[in-house]
């Protein structure tokens, strides 16, 4: 048990270090202006935007405080924050209050809706007609 | 009354992270497995739900790791090349 515990600590520490390193890279450099940021491989091969396109620019804008600009690069970032925020608030509520709240993300309908949202987002952001161009990265 | 086994983790957050940050449609596969975990569990197919949960975890972790390694390689190769160019005064 002791070995697995110290191993876990090493793994988590290195994840945090890598994560902070990446964040600082995205904080100081704008991916639009520098060639050393990787381009989306899916977009490079197919010329089609994937659901993740624009997330590097979005992260750069978000951690520099330009929340709206960041979200406009990739609206799915918003979905990620909603789900993560919801899960963490629920976790804290269930841990520190006596009532147990039902987790909506355990409902089959929730995950299905998220799947549909992601696939719709993927299709719509590739349509270059006016209302949908907003979704493009 | 029959006792329900504990709900297997659907790894939904991991699936969304791999979809958004990894530029690999394999994130979609993770979301599909996350969906399966929930519906199989609700249907009482607990063993299959556990299997779907393991698949969701594997797909999520694999796509995150592939993206991370690819990202690091890219940054390293281009970072070193650019540093070299700067050092030579060519940039």
């Amino acid at each position: 048990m002791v070995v697995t515990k110290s191993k876990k600590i090493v793994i988590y520490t290195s994840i945090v270090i890598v994560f902070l390193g990446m964040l600082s890279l995205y904080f100081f450099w704008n991916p639009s202006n520098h060639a050393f940021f990787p381009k989306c491989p899916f977009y490079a091969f197919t010329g089609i935007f994937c659901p993740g396109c624009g997330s590097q620019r979005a992260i750069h804008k978000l951690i520099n405080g330009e929340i709206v600009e960041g979200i406009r690069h990739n609206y799915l970032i918003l979905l990620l924050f909603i789900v993560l925020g919801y899960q963490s608030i629920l976790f804290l509520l269930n841990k520190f209050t006596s009532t147990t709240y039902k987790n909506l993300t355990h409902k089959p309908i929730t995950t299905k809706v998220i799947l549909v949202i992601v696939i719709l987002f993927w299709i719509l952001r590739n349509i270059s007609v006016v209302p949908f161009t907003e979704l493009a990265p | 009354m029959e006792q329900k086994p504990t709900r297997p983790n659907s790894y939904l957050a991991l699936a969304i992270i791999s979809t958004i940050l990894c530029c690999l449609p394999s994130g979609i596969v993770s979301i599909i497995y996350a969906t399966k975990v929930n519906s199989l569990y609700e249907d009482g197919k607990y063993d299959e739900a556990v299997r779907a949960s393991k698949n969701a975890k594997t797909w999520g972790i694999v796509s995150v790791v592939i993206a991370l390694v690819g990202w690091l390689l890219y940054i390293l190769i281009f970072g070193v090349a650019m540093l070299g160019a700067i050092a030579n005064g060519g940039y």
Side-chain angles (χ1 to χ4, degrees), chain B residues 30-49:
Chain B
S30 321
I31 300 184
I32 292 173
Y33 276 116
T35 311
K36 271 191 171 173
V37 172
N38 285 342
S39 15
L40 287 170
Y41 184 84
E42 296 299 322
D43 292 346
K45 296 174 183 162
Y46 303 120
D47 294 342
E48 286 172 59

Side-chain angles (χ1 to χ4, degrees), chain A residues 35-83:
Chain A
F36 61 85
F37 286 100
K39 305 280 171 288
C40 170
F42 187 81
Y43 179 68
F45 279 117
T46 59
I48 298 168
F49 299 129
C50 82
C53 284
S55 49
Q56 297 192 92
R57 278 160 280 171
I59 291 169
H60 169 74
K61 294 275 181 189
L62 281 178
I63 56 183
N64 277 290
E66 295 169 62
I67 309 288
V68 177
E69 280 295 300
I71 288 169
R72 287 186 61 195
H73 278 299
N74 191 330
Y75 283 89
L76 285 186
I77 292 268
L78 198 62
L79 179 72
L80 177 65
F81 282 129
I82 291 170
V83 171

Side-chain angles (χ1 to χ4, degrees), chain A residues 106-117:
Chain A
H106 287 170
K107 290 206 160 160
I109 184 75
T110 316
T111 28
K112 272 177 200 158
V113 165
I114 289 178
L115 182 63
V116 170
I117 288 176

Side-chain angles (χ1 to χ4, degrees), chain A residues 1 3 8 18 20 27 38-39 41 46 54 57 62 70 73 75 77 80 90 93 108 113 119 127-128 137:
Chain A
M1 275 313 275
V3 177
K8 257 190 182 169
V18 170
L20 288 180
F27 182 77
K39 305 280 171 288
T46 59
R57 278 160 280 171
L62 281 178
H73 278 299
Y75 283 89
I77 292 268
L80 177 65
L90 210 71
L93 280 179
V113 165
I119 290 175
I127 300 174
S128 43

Side-chain angles (χ1 to χ4, degrees), chain B residues 3 6 10-11 24-25 37 42 45 52 56 61 65 67-70 72 75-76 80-81 85-86 91:
Chain B
Q3 184 73 33
T6 44
S10 68
Y11 298 100
L24 289 169
V37 172
E42 296 299 322
K45 296 174 183 162
I61 290 179
V65 167
L68 205 65
V69 170
L72 278 175
I75 294 276
L76 278 180
V80 169
I86 292 167
Y91 185 73

